[in-house]
Amino acid sequence: AYCVLFRSCIETKEPALLAHKSNELKMVKIKLRRKRMSKPRICSCFTAALLASTALAVIFIFRSDSAAQVRRNGSGSPPVGIDQILRDSKARVAKVQSHRSYANFQGDSAWTFLDESSSIIQIPNDESSKTEIVLKREGTGPTIVGYVNDFENERQRHLMEAPVEQEVEAIDKVVTAAAQTTVKPCSIFKNGKKYTEKHCSDPNIMRFAYNSAWFPRTLCGQEVMPGDVVGVPVGCNDYEAGLSTLPKPPVSGDGMQPIVIKSRLEEILEPESLQSVDCDVPCEQQKDMQGLERFVAGEQWTITFTDADAFSNGNARLERLGHRADHFYSTQSFKSSVPHTFFNWLQYGHLNTKPIDWLSARNKAVYLVDRSCSTPGSRRHKYFNAISAVVPVDSYGSCGHNIEVPQGISIGTSEGRIEIMKGYRVVLAFDASTDKDHISPMIWDALASGSVPVVVGAENMRSHLPEGSFVWSGDFSNWDELASHVKEILENKSLWESYQIWRSDESVMSRFSARYEFARTSALCRLCRWSYAKKYGLGWDDVRQEVSEPIFGRRLCVSGPNNIISMPFQEAWFSKNDQIGGFHEPVQEGADCGSTKVDFVLESNDLRVDRRVSIHDGVIDITLNEVSQAASSVAVILRFTFPGIENIGGAHFKHTHKLVPTSGIRQVSSASMQDANKKVTVMSDWVSNIVSPSKSVLEVVVMEDGEIWKKGDVKRIRIVLEDFDAKNEKTTEFFPSAFCKKMIKDFSDPLDIFFADS
């Protein structure tokens, strides 16, 4: 309002702009027209602005009072933006309440919403039993229907333009590859229901498998590459495809599948174009790779791989949301997935060597910068000029050059620089950039020389170098103060020695060693490790940069007479009249934890469940062949309890599968929950209601009230368990990881099986 009313009263020497950057609005300064504007005109403008602001305040108070009225008595209209959420949520939560009572959960007596001011709004409803919904509009709080910031726009987006065309394309490819005149799909989908052709179970019928995904899959031990068609082996009637020949990819040792690093996404490499990487993970890379981008064979990730700092190369700067587009980083930033560092244990492992001799060292400072003398980032030329004005400085490089490099020594190598630094009491180790985590070899050389480094560089330098090992420019208000301190160090032996104490302090070196333990392995090998962990959904020790077991573990344990799943989560079945299984059952003594597939019929007085459980590629699939009830047709609920996951208040995210492009032919339901350590995604291949009624729990409505299981019906459920990626993700936002995306795609669009129609 002020800007509009002042338009006739002001002028801008530059156009007034609103710059949108990092979700913040930055306004350029607006200057009053001082030359030709009279005082009365100025007064009238301010008066108009005052009146406008008063009117806005009255409107705001009125609206706030209306909202307060809704809070006080439950009447009136909900705030703008909540109406649609109410309409979308009522039916969904009503279903939640319809089966929550089976598990002895009690809902509240009113619909409850949180408005802009974080106040509770009561929304009346004519149903007798209600469920509380807590909605925080900022998207930072847990709700029964998920977080507000759950990517609604992405869900509404049509992720594939023509799903039917994909099926036609698949048939054409099978016809061509199989040299058959006519083929038909083994499964067809009508109105969200799956129907299977009985001919597909005939071992005498020729069958073919087509892989529509971007990643390879295996079927009965046979690999099916993306876009390929293969014949289904005789006797193969289990169409459950995997991504690996092993049901549980190992963390180390035998059985680890090789990682291949290449320079272009679509490039197909011949064996002679690859070279082995020295690493504890089987890994090969393309020979003579150029550029910053790296790709992993069989994946769609883009990895920016460079030891350049973001100051000198803008492509090295991290994008916070890059992981959502499968763009990852291996740069000098410690926020990147695989950090680069110039610290090397083989080269600098002797950092705590004895200091140089005070008396024999020159009472001067040394400067070895040979390019980019004047830098806008660190302004190191300002520091150099200030220091060289008060103390003698020998400069061997082109910047302030005043002395020649000794014969046989090069300042272009660490060995040459260290050799020169050893002859001086103080080393001016000035980097060009102040970007976080950027530490050039010059600084490491200065520490290793035994001299006292005076450092200009990364703003978080203190978190990297050993405590007390250097003079930090950030401790001084200007370069003149720093220059005075350098002069004092050169003249005061006790002060100089105070910067050498760290070399004999084991606690200091222990903390430093822990932070840089990862640097014992090359960045390329660590990239191979990280790629292997990410490809197979394994754990990742970010500090040590090593593959680890996932927090949930990859053991499938079943317990009790009904072979109920007891690890890595607990399984329980409920109907209104009966239940199978229990809550939070510990793994019983003698539990079977070695199987990868379990076929068992669960039976109680009223409920019968014929299901297969299998673990493959780090996910658990449950195939339901029959769910029936003896005396009634009431809703049947399958409950999963995931011990230790702290989704407070049952916070979860609905329809997360819609964040992954799929054909859209099959109707899938899904929900996810997470905390600061773990993530869980549960999917069903039919339209179901998947909710989290309480902490650590996800429930799937397997059968609705009145639903009868038809003979031949098969339903599938997939559970994806993985570690939370604290480096890239936020607990208040959910986005599927690269591994989870692959598992969603594999579940939503499995291998297409066709048969030759004679």
Side-chain angles (χ1 to χ4, degrees):
Y2 275 104
C3 290
V4 172
L5 290 170
F6 275 9
R7 175 166 287 181
S8 62
C9 305
I10 62 177
E11 68 175 8
T12 57
K13 293 184 178 180
E14 299 173 358
L17 300 173
L18 286 175
H20 187 274
K21 186 177 182 182
S22 303
N23 300 322
E24 295 180 358
L25 291 175
K26 297 183 178 180
M27 297 190 66
V28 300
K29 294 181 180 179
I30 300 176
K31 297 183 179 181
L32 288 175
R33 180 188 299 159
R34 299 180 184 276
K35 292 184 178 179
R36 292 183 292 175
M37 184 184 294
S38 64
K39 289 184 178 179
R41 187 176 177 189
I42 294 175
C43 293
S44 64
C45 286
F46 276 98
T47 302
L50 181 61
L51 290 172
S53 61
T54 304
L56 288 172
V58 171
I59 294 171
F60 177 78
I61 292 171
F62 176 77
R63 287 174 60 85
S64 299
D65 186 64
S66 299
Q69 182 69 17
V70 174
R71 291 192 291 271
R72 282 194 295 271
N73 54 29
S75 62
S77 300
V80 177
I82 290 184
D83 309 67
Q84 185 61 44
I85 297 171
L86 258 178
R87 287 194 295 271
D88 294 344
S89 303
K90 277 186 178 181
R92 190 161 57 199
V93 178
K95 286 186 178 180
V96 178
Q97 183 61 32
S98 69
H99 72 266
R100 282 179 72 189
S101 57
Y102 306 148
N104 299 319
F105 284 100
Q106 300 298 323
D108 294 332
S109 60
W111 294 77
T112 308
F113 281 86
L114 204 66
D115 72 356
E116 303 94 321
S117 60
S118 301
S119 301
I120 297 295
I121 300 176
Q122 300 292 337
I123 307 296
N125 198 302
D126 54 2
E127 299 180 27
S128 58
S129 180
K130 317 300 177 201
T131 300
E132 180 181 72
I133 301 177
V134 182
L135 175 64
K136 193 169 183 180
R137 302 188 76 183
E138 298 89 335
T140 57
T143 77
I144 289 177
V145 293
Y147 291 81
V148 179
N149 185 10
D150 62 359
F151 307 98
E152 183 175 352
N153 292 334
E154 282 87 341
R155 293 206 192 89
Q156 293 174 348
R157 178 164 51 90
H158 193 50
L159 296 174
M160 291 289 281
E161 291 300 322
V164 177
E165 291 180 3
Q166 181 182 354
E167 190 71 26
V168 173
E169 176 191 354
I171 291 176
D172 291 342
K173 284 194 172 187
V174 174
V175 168
T176 303
Q180 299 289 323
T181 55
T182 307
V183 297
K184 290 184 178 180
C186 284
S187 299
I188 59 175
F189 293 83
K190 293 181 180 178
N191 301 322
K193 294 285 187 178
K194 177 181 176 182
Y195 300 90
T196 303
E197 281 279 356
K198 61 181 180 180
H199 297 88
C200 283
S201 59
D202 186 345
N204 298 315
I205 296 291
M206 294 182 64
R207 294 160 298 163
F208 308 92
Y210 168 66
N211 184 6
S212 63
W214 70 81
F215 46 86
R217 295 191 261 202
T218 60
L219 177 67
C220 296
Q222 183 176 218
E223 188 174 51
V224 189
M225 298 302 292
D228 277 3
V229 177
V230 301
V232 177
V234 175
C236 176
N237 293 315
D238 184 356
Y239 299 139
E240 183 181 272
L243 307 183
S244 168
T245 55
L246 298 174
K248 294 184 288 185
V251 171
S252 61
D254 296 337
M256 299 181 78
Q257 301 295 307
I259 295 295
V260 176
I261 309 293
K262 55 184 183 176
S263 60
R264 288 195 295 274
L265 179 62
E266 303 297 336
E267 189 167 10
I268 298 176
L269 302 176
E270 299 298 330
E272 57 269 17
S273 65
L274 297 172
Q275 62 185 19
S276 179
V277 176
D278 183 16
C279 193
D280 51 3
V281 168
C283 189
E284 295 177 307
Q285 68 165 338
Q286 184 180 354
K287 295 177 181 177
D288 303 320
M289 285 191 289
Q290 303 294 323
L292 303 182
E293 292 187 342
R294 299 290 183 268
F295 302 90
V296 176
E299 303 296 337
Q300 291 188 316
W301 320 330
T302 300
I303 305 165
T304 297
F305 186 82
T306 177
D307 60 7
D309 63 280
F311 175 77
S312 60
N313 190 330
N315 292 324
R317 195 169 299 280
L318 274 63
E319 294 291 338
R320 190 186 79 79
L321 300 181
H323 66 283
R324 294 185 185 173
D326 292 329
H327 188 169
F328 304 97
Y329 296 86
S330 178
T331 70
Q332 289 191 33
S333 172
F334 272 47
K335 289 186 177 180
S336 63
S337 299
V338 182
H340 277 261
T341 177
F342 289 112
F343 179 79
N344 183 315
W345 281 100
L346 292 177
Q347 188 172 359
Y348 299 118
H350 59 288
L351 276 184
N352 57 342
T353 187
K354 290 183 179 181
I356 61 174
D357 181 65
W358 162 270
L359 294 176
S360 60
R362 299 180 190 179
N363 189 20
K364 293 181 178 181
V366 63
Y367 194 54
L368 298 174
V369 175
D370 200 35
R371 59 186 176 87
S372 302
C373 303
S374 177
T375 58
S378 65
R379 298 185 293 179
R380 60 184 175 189
H381 59 291
K382 297 285 189 180
Y383 288 98
F384 172 76
N385 292 337
I387 292 173
S388 59
V390 297
V391 300
V393 178
D394 283 351
S395 178
Y396 289 86
S398 61
C399 302
H401 179 75
N402 60 14
I403 188 172
E404 298 301 324
V405 178
Q407 189 72 25
I409 294 178
S410 170
I411 62 172
T413 66
S414 286
E415 293 77 11
R417 289 191 294 267
I418 292 174
E419 186 62 31
I420 292 175
M421 292 173 180
K422 287 179 178 179
Y424 294 85
R425 292 180 182 176
V426 168
V427 176
L428 304 183
F430 296 170
D431 275 347
S433 169
T434 59
D435 282 354
K436 287 184 177 180
D437 307 322
H438 167 65
I439 304 174
S440 72
M442 182 79 70
I443 294 175
W444 297 117
D445 293 341
L447 285 173
S449 71
S451 183
V452 172
V454 178
V455 176
V456 174
E459 59 183 81
N460 64 338
M461 190 71 71
R462 285 197 177 282
S463 66
H464 287 280
L465 305 188
E467 304 101 293
S469 64
F470 64 104
V471 179
W472 172 226
S473 62
D475 291 338
F476 302 89
S477 59
N478 56 61
W479 36 77
D480 290 329
E481 284 189 8
L482 176 61
S484 299
H485 188 69
V486 172
K487 182 180 180 181
E488 187 177 359
I489 291 174
L490 288 172
E491 297 172 349
N492 187 330
K493 183 180 179 182
S494 297
L495 179 59
W496 183 87
E497 289 177 339
S498 70
Y499 288 99
Q500 303 286 5
I501 296 174
W502 66 276
R503 298 183 188 275
S504 58
D505 190 331
E506 292 184 3
S507 62
V508 171
M509 287 307 300
S510 175
R511 288 189 293 273
F512 174 81
S513 297
R515 181 165 179 76
Y516 275 88
E517 183 67 24
F518 73 91
R520 296 185 185 276
T521 307
S522 70
L524 182 57
C525 175
R526 288 185 283 113
L527 179 64
C528 296
R529 290 175 177 176
W530 175 86
S531 299
Y532 181 84
K534 193 162 195 65
K535 185 181 182 76
Y536 297 109
L538 296 168
W540 178 245
D541 186 333
D542 189 63
V543 176
R544 298 180 64 87
Q545 296 272 288
E546 294 175 346
V547 184
S548 64
E549 286 284 355
I551 296 175
F552 274 115
R554 292 273 172 97
R555 285 201 309 162
L556 174 63
C557 297
V558 293
S559 301
N562 281 316
N563 276 0
I564 289 289
I565 299 173
S566 54
M567 186 183 287
F569 53 82
Q570 282 97 45
E571 169 193 22
W573 289 80
F574 298 92
S575 74
K576 189 173 183 179
N577 302 322
D578 209 349
Q579 78 174 57
I580 303 176
F583 298 98
H584 304 284
E585 290 184 0
V587 178
Q588 298 179 8
E589 186 175 348
D592 178 7
C593 295
S595 302
T596 58
K597 289 186 179 180
V598 177
D599 291 277
F600 211 83
V601 176
L602 314 179
E603 288 189 277
S604 63
N605 295 330
D606 183 66
L607 190 60
R608 185 178 189 274
V609 178
D610 182 354
R611 60 100 165 94
R612 162 183 279 193
V613 180
S614 63
I615 183 169
H616 66 91
D617 305 301
V619 301
I620 294 177
D621 285 346
I622 300 176
T623 302
L624 304 177
N625 299 309
E626 180 188 359
V627 178
S628 59
Q629 299 172 83
S632 59
S633 298
V634 296
V636 176
I637 310 302
L638 172 56
R639 161 174 287 194
F640 301 111
T641 301
F642 303 93
I645 192 163
E646 297 293 326
N647 62 320
I648 305 299
H652 65 289
F653 306 83
K654 300 284 284 186
H655 313 305
T656 49
H657 70 281
K658 291 189 177 181
L659 296 173
V660 179
T662 61
S663 68
I665 296 174
R666 299 161 180 83
Q667 294 195 24
V668 174
S669 297
S670 63
S672 302
M673 61 184 184
Q674 64 186 20
D675 62 14
N677 297 302
K678 302 176 290 296
K679 300 174 68 173
V680 175
T681 297
V682 174
M683 295 174 279
S684 67
D685 70 348
W686 74 96
V687 178
S688 179
N689 194 31
I690 306 177
V691 297
S692 176
S694 61
K695 186 177 72 172
S696 306
V697 173
L698 276 172
E699 293 181 348
V700 181
V701 180
V702 176
M703 295 179 65
E704 301 280 359
D705 283 329
E707 182 180 353
I708 303 295
W709 193 279
K710 295 180 181 179
K711 186 177 180 179
D713 280 359
V714 175
K715 293 183 176 182
R716 293 189 308 139
I717 297 170
R718 171 163 290 182
I719 301 100
V720 183
L721 307 172
E722 54 186 334
D723 291 356
F724 181 80
D725 181 3
K727 186 165 277 186
N728 290 310
E729 299 173 335
K730 289 186 175 181
T731 55
T732 54
E733 301 172 357
F734 181 88
F735 201 82
S737 67
F739 173 73
C740 188
K741 287 179 185 177
K742 189 189 294 184
M743 294 299 105
I744 290 173
K745 174 68 176 176
D746 180 60
F747 184 79
S748 301
D749 292 329
L751 280 177
D752 295 304
I753 308 297
F754 298 86
F755 69 95
D757 185 22
S758 57

